[in-house]
Amino acid sequence: MFPASPLKPLSLLAFTALLGLFGVSALAADMGEPAPGSPARIALWPQGLAPGDKQLPQAQRVIERSADPALPDRYTDHVSSPYLVAYRPDRPNGSALLVIPGGGYQRVVLDKEGTALVPAFVEQGGTTLFVLRYRLPGEQGREDRDAALADAQRALRLIRHHAGEWGLDPHRVGVMGFSAGGHLAARLGNRFDHAAYPATDTIDRHSARPDYQLLVYPVIDMAGSAAHAGSRQRLLGAAPSAALQRQYSMQDQVRADTPPTFLLHAADDDAVPVSNSLLMYQALLAAGVPSEMHLFPKGGHGFGTRGIAGLTTAAWPRLALDWIASQAPQPPATTETPTSP
């Protein structure tokens, strides 16, 4: 049975309103998250922990930063056992998106680049969303730079493995990443065949290559002036070599089989400069990868689907959905045999 939609808006709003009575709080509980073992919370790994990983000293926590019940703004960190939260439309169209929220490789944003996508992409667009809670590099002594990539690869394979059971087309499974999550999504698109973890079961026989990727105000460059300093430091360390910076600069890793790509950025982004998307687009063009880029004059950084009413930027979910629809596999052309006179 497919996981039902895990988040009831009224219950989350009521919970957030209760928080407002006491002020914004940092909680070490799964606030607003589906309970472990519930249908909507899908563990990535059979044992909870990824192969060879160990439990972090500090338990996972979910923190609410908003005092407005109508605009929850949670994030999570200290993730030891990564998982997906699924959002299913009433009328699914067969397409799926692995959503990788941002957070500067320091946290994983849950609402602005997670639950806030549901009205446009799930309810109106008919796309099934799987929002990833992934392990963060450098956190509490974690030294594995590939931990987040391993989670993304496993998540894509898991979705594809269960596609038939969940009413999905295994050839219409894409990835959408925001900010540092866009960097991770681009890593998945460029390095889907990199052995980020040892194969564990039949799920890992599936390809981890997304059928398409959407990169929204993404961190791309790790070497030049466009680099997001916080993301680079958390992923690569305080003084990464030039070679390491190039290795993790996604414009330098594009290949001919990088998935078709949709890029989106605001020109007034003062956190992750728009040149990140420009560099990626140029690399995609050079590699012959089908690409589409939308640059908007205003929107800043981290807008998701919020705070852009009245701006041309507000058109982006519809543009993205139309582009996803254009990536659907086309039936082979048939040759008709002429009838005899």
Side-chain angles (χ1 to χ4, degrees), residues 141-153:
R142 180 181 283 133
E143 298 179 355
D144 185 4
R145 293 191 185 97
D146 277 350
L149 177 60
D151 292 344
Q153 289 181 348

Side-chain angles (χ1 to χ4, degrees), residues 1-309:
M1 181 177 179
F2 193 96
S5 177
L7 189 62
K8 301 295 185 184
L10 288 179
S11 63
L12 181 57
L13 293 180
F15 194 94
T16 312
L18 182 62
L19 283 180
L21 296 176
F22 303 98
V24 180
S25 302
L27 302 180
D30 285 345
M31 180 185 63
E33 292 282 87
S38 65
R41 179 165 168 159
I42 306 167
L44 294 191
W45 310 98
Q47 306 302 319
L49 298 177
D53 201 12
K54 59 184 179 180
Q55 190 78 23
L56 294 177
Q58 189 169 346
Q60 181 180 346
R61 61 181 184 172
V62 177
I63 295 177
E64 174 60 83
R65 298 179 290 187
S66 173
D68 184 348
L71 294 172
D73 184 18
R74 299 169 300 147
Y75 73 80
T76 190
D77 58 7
H78 311 329
V79 176
S80 289
S81 299
Y83 58 97
L84 296 165
V85 173
Y87 300 89
R88 185 189 185 192
D90 292 333
R91 296 180 178 84
N93 62 19
S95 69
L97 279 175
L98 168 63
V99 178
I100 307 181
Y105 281 124
Q106 183 178 25
R107 58 181 66 92
V108 180
V109 175
L110 300 182
D111 293 308
K112 290 172 67 176
E113 296 162 357
T115 61
L117 305 175
V118 170
F121 284 88
V122 179
E123 296 171 359
Q124 299 170 28
T127 298
T128 303
L129 298 186
F130 297 88
V131 185
L132 180 62
R133 281 69 166 146
Y134 54 95
R135 290 173 292 159
L136 296 163
E139 191 174 52
Q140 299 185 54
R142 180 181 283 133
E143 298 179 355
D144 185 4
R145 293 191 185 97
D146 277 350
L149 177 60
D151 292 344
Q153 289 181 348
R154 176 70 177 188
L156 204 293
R157 288 173 171 138
L158 184 66
I159 296 166
R160 194 163 272 150
H161 181 76
H162 290 287
E165 174 188 348
W166 293 343
L168 305 173
D169 183 340
H171 303 295
R172 297 179 66 195
V173 181
V175 64
M176 180 162 63
F178 297 80
S179 193
H183 185 263
L184 179 52
R187 289 172 68 192
L188 177 63
N190 289 338
R191 307 197 71 197
F192 54 86
D193 54 356
H194 169 67
Y197 65 94
T200 60
D201 52 27
T202 57
I203 292 171
D204 293 325
R205 297 176 185 172
H206 293 273
S207 171
R209 180 184 182 273
D211 291 302
Y212 39 83
Q213 60 181 1
L214 297 89
L215 310 179
V216 184
Y217 41 81
V219 173
I220 294 294
D221 189 29
M222 287 283 173
S225 59
H228 182 252
S231 296
R232 178 172 58 191
Q233 179 174 349
R234 295 178 193 103
L235 182 62
L236 304 183
S241 67
L244 190 63
Q245 291 178 59
R246 286 194 301 272
Q247 181 183 341
Y248 285 86
S249 292
M250 289 301 99
Q251 76 274 19
D252 293 331
Q253 305 301 320
V254 171
R255 339 173 339 179
D257 57 354
T258 292
T261 304
F262 178 98
L263 286 158
L264 170 73
H265 224 118
D268 64 348
D269 190 330
D270 60 1
V272 177
V274 69
S275 52
N276 280 267
S277 286
L278 294 171
L279 288 169
M280 188 66 174
Y281 185 66
Q282 291 171 341
L284 292 163
L285 284 180
V289 176
S291 307
E292 179 169 320
M293 180 168 61
H294 295 272
L295 303 181
F296 295 94
K298 294 186 180 299
H301 185 74
F303 49 81
T305 57
R306 293 181 180 175
I308 50 177

